[in-house]
């Protein structure tokens, strides 16, 4: 990659927001379906015939896991090489990522619900194509929220909207209705949040438009956007409250959850022959997590809510790259928060509307905290609860909830903005320092680059 390419990869979000309006279609985001994307880009139902051996195993995955014979079947699998033209469309690449991710996690975690040890080496027949597909999609080779939820549903009636009562899960590890409901609920929440994402983008664009000096017209846009956001969060909260009806906490925790884990701690995972020259690669990745949802990070970014969490920044690499770019574009300058703060003293209605939106997000975070307590903490019998993303669940979620709550603004600008916590210090390469210096010359605001091991 050229120096210019490297620079753009680090600072594209800031440049985008500085010089042009944000267009959802440029980020593979749909006004109708949010981060599920336009229908034309949804994952394919099945891979081409050449990759039928993968699909055939996935078709009977619950039976193979129940019989304890999944690993045996995978180890007999012949490697199917991946080339740039192996798949003809984005939907097929997404389907390949889902299929390989589920087969790999099934292989690694087979028998974990019975206390069996997980596998530490992934056979080359899976690891090599999985690495190739993940590299094409610019994502790590691990099961992420984008695959197991966003790319793992179909519609019962394609003429009807994306709602929970019109969705079916395509593939499951164990085949239970609890598992299906959990994945579908995550996808349905992304669809419920679509109007909120569109409203926040419209508001940011309005604030940054050359005609934004017209405060009367602009405040109308912002008031409408904050109202839409509150309605969407109300719908999402309602979805959270329905979770226990169709997905029992004990089933999720003891039967489903371990398949969503990663291997960021401890011994990691060896991807056999996946490296250059067919060398083994030893890697550490976190598992699927709600923190990987671009919806909630986009809402925080649009409202200018800061969490000072390195983990939340790190998990963005598990998102599709364009979704990650939209989150970064929304947070680049905290345009909405700065505008509301500027007019807080003389526009009480706008201030109250913004704070009501922040309060709604706080309530949603509290509801999520209670759901995690019910589904994880109370099922662990006092054990130290580690999330599928590798964090200590309760301290992390409490911190996110509390930092959301403190984001509410005051009519007094000095009381409204507490001194931000310093970010973790990191050592940068000379190349990284040069890129940051060049960005400074261009006037691009940047935070420290994140080095991922």
């Amino acid at each position: 990659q050229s120096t210019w390419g490297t620079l753009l990869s680090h600072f594209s979000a800031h440049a985008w927001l500085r010089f042009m309006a944000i267009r959802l279609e440029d980020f593979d985001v749909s006004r109708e379906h949010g981060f599920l994307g336009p229908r034309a880009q949804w994952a394919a139902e099945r891979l081409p015939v050449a990759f039928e051996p993968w699909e055939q195993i996935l078709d009977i995955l619950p039976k193979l896991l129940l019989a304890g014979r999944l690993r045996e079947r995978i180890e007999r699998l012949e490697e199917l090489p991946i080339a740039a033209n192996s798949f003809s469309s984005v939907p097929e690449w997404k389907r390949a990522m889902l299929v390989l991710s589920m087969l790999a996690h099934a292989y690694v975690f087979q028998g974990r619900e019975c206390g069996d040890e997980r596998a530490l080496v992934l056979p080359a027949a899976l690891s090599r194509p999985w690495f190739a597909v993940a590299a094409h999609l610019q994502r790590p080779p691990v099961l992420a929220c984008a695959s197991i939820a966003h790319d793992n549903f179909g519609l019962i009636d394609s003429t009807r909207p994306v709602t929970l009562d019109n969705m079916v899960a395509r593939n499951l590890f164990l085949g239970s209705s609890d598992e299906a409901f959990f994945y579908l609920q995550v996808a349905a929440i992304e669809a419920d949040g679509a109007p909120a994402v569109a409203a926040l983008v419209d508001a940011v664009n309005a604030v940054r438009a050359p005609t934004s000096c017209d405060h009367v017209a602009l405040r109308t846009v912002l008031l409408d956007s904050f109202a839409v956001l509150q309605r969407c969060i109300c719908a999402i909260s309602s979805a959270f409250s329905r979770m226990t009806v169709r997905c029992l906490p004990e089933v999720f925790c003891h039967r489903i959850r371990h398949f969503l884990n990663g291997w960021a701690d401890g011994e990691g995972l060896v991807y056999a022959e996946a490296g250059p020259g067919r060398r083994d690669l030893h890697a550490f990745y976190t598992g699927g997590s709600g923190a990987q949802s671009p919806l909630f990070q986009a809402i925080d970014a649009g409202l200018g809510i800061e969490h000072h969490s390195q983990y939340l920044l790190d998990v963005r690499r598990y998102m599709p790259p364009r979704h990650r770019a939209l989150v970064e574009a929304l947070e680049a300058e905290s345009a909405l928060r700065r505008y509301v703060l500027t007019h807080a003293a003389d526009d009480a209605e706008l201030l109250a509307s913004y704070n009501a939106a922040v309060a709604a997000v706080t309530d949603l975070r509290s509801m999520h905290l209670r759901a995690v307590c019910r589904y994880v903490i109370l099922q662990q019998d006092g054990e130290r609860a580690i999330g599928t993303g590798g964090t200590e669940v309760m301290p992390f979620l409490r911190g996110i909830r509390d930092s959301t709550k403190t984001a509410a603004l005051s009519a007094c600008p000095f009381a409204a903005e507490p001194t931000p916590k310093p970010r973790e210090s990191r050592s940068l390469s000379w190349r990284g320092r040069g890129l940051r210096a060049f960005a400074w010359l261009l006037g691009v605001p940047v935070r420290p680059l994140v080095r991922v091991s």
Side-chain angles (χ1 to χ4, degrees):
Q1 189 179 30
S2 67
T3 302
W4 280 107
T6 303
L7 178 67
L8 289 174
S9 70
H10 287 309
F11 305 120
S12 58
H14 302 283
W16 190 288
L17 193 55
R18 179 180 289 273
F19 298 114
M20 58 198 310
I22 301 172
R23 301 191 310 167
L24 289 176
E25 57 269 27
D26 292 328
F27 297 92
D28 294 340
V29 178
S30 161
R31 284 186 173 272
E32 184 180 2
H33 308 119
F35 286 102
L36 297 181
R39 292 197 183 200
Q41 293 188 15
W42 288 358
E45 292 186 26
R46 205 165 182 90
L47 293 175
V49 176
F51 301 93
E52 191 64 16
W54 298 345
E55 293 281 8
Q56 290 175 353
I57 297 177
L58 198 60
D59 287 341
I60 58 172
L61 185 61
K63 296 178 181 179
L64 291 172
L65 286 171
L66 181 62
R69 298 183 60 185
L70 184 276
R71 288 179 184 167
E72 171 191 328
R73 183 69 176 269
I74 293 294
E75 287 163 359
R76 297 202 313 264
L77 190 65
E78 294 185 5
E79 181 184 334
L80 301 177
I82 298 295
N85 60 351
S86 292
F87 305 108
S88 61
S89 63
V90 170
E92 289 185 354
W93 283 101
K94 288 181 176 180
R95 175 65 183 176
M97 185 66 172
L98 170 65
V99 170
L100 290 168
S101 297
M102 292 193 68
L103 293 180
H105 277 244
Y107 183 93
V108 171
F109 296 110
Q110 174 184 293
R112 287 293 289 162
E113 71 274 13
C114 301
D116 295 349
E117 293 297 320
R118 73 169 179 89
L120 299 178
V121 180
L122 190 66
L126 281 184
S127 64
R128 285 177 57 80
W130 197 18
F131 248 84
V133 171
H136 181 88
L137 295 175
Q138 300 178 54
R139 289 165 46 195
V142 69
L143 184 64
C145 178
S147 289
I148 196 61
H150 303 178
D151 295 335
N152 192 25
F153 75 92
L155 297 182
I156 298 172
D157 184 348
S158 61
T159 64
R160 291 179 53 198
V162 181
T163 53
L164 200 55
D165 61 357
N166 191 38
M167 301 169 72
V168 291
R170 285 181 174 158
N171 296 104
L172 305 171
F173 287 104
L174 298 177
S176 70
S177 60
D178 298 77
E179 183 183 2
F181 184 80
F182 180 76
Y183 302 151
L184 293 177
Q185 184 76 281
V186 175
I189 284 174
E190 293 289 346
D192 289 340
V197 177
L200 285 172
V201 167
D202 290 343
V204 169
N205 286 338
V207 168
R208 295 193 50 76
T211 58
S212 61
C213 56
D214 184 357
H215 175 64
V216 175
L218 184 55
R219 72 185 297 274
T220 301
V221 174
L222 266 59
L223 290 172
D224 289 345
S225 296
F226 295 147
V228 169
L229 177 59
Q230 290 180 65
R231 288 196 296 270
C232 286
I233 292 177
C234 181
I236 294 171
S237 299
S238 177
F240 266 118
S241 66
R242 295 193 303 266
M243 182 72 78
T244 54
V245 176
R246 301 283 296 278
C247 181
L248 297 177
E250 58 270 23
V251 174
F252 170 79
C253 187
H254 300 297
R255 300 283 295 172
I256 302 169
R257 185 169 174 260
H258 59 267
F259 286 111
L260 307 179
N261 283 328
W263 32 85
D265 298 326
E267 299 175 274
L269 183 70
V270 175
Y271 296 77
E273 302 180 29
R278 300 187 73 99
R279 294 196 304 271
D280 292 350
L281 285 180
H282 193 192
F284 299 80
Y285 296 114
T286 61
S289 164
Q292 296 171 2
S293 167
L295 172 62
F296 298 113
Q297 291 220 32
I299 290 174
D300 286 342
L303 291 175
I305 299 172
E306 295 188 4
H307 297 297
H308 305 287
S309 167
Q310 186 58 42
Y311 173 75
L312 283 180
L313 295 177
D314 289 344
V315 296
R316 290 181 185 177
R317 65 174 176 147
Y318 297 89
M319 300 177 187
R322 292 192 180 186
H323 292 176
R324 178 171 65 245
L326 178 57
V327 173
E328 292 172 349
L330 285 171
E331 77 176 356
E333 296 185 6
S334 300
L336 295 186
R337 183 177 179 85
R338 286 191 301 106
Y339 187 87
V340 173
L341 184 60
T342 301
H343 295 85
D346 55 6
D347 195 332
E349 183 182 8
L350 181 62
L351 175 64
S353 181
Y354 173 86
N355 283 340
V358 172
V361 179
T362 303
D363 291 341
L364 181 61
R365 295 290 187 185
S366 296
M367 181 170 289
H368 184 208
L369 188 65
R370 291 192 294 272
V372 170
C373 182
R374 186 180 301 116
Y375 276 82
V376 179
I377 305 301
L378 296 180
Q379 307 301 320
Q380 298 280 31
D381 296 328
E383 297 178 16
R384 177 169 169 260
I386 302 297
T388 52
T391 61
E392 288 193 57
V393 176
M394 297 307 285
F396 171 73
L397 291 179
R398 284 196 194 99
I400 297 300
R401 188 268 316 275
D402 294 345
S403 57
T404 302
K405 184 177 182 179
T406 58
L409 294 174
S410 166
C412 172
F414 297 103
E417 295 292 86
T419 303
K421 299 177 182 178
R423 294 184 181 272
E424 300 175 23
S425 61
R426 307 173 187 85
S427 61
L428 295 176
S429 65
W430 285 107
R431 187 181 190 187
R433 292 171 183 168
L435 291 172
R436 287 170 51 74
F438 186 52
W440 178 79
L441 291 174
L442 292 177
V444 178
V446 297
R447 58 173 172 268
L449 301 179
V450 178
R451 174 173 292 178
V452 181
S453 59

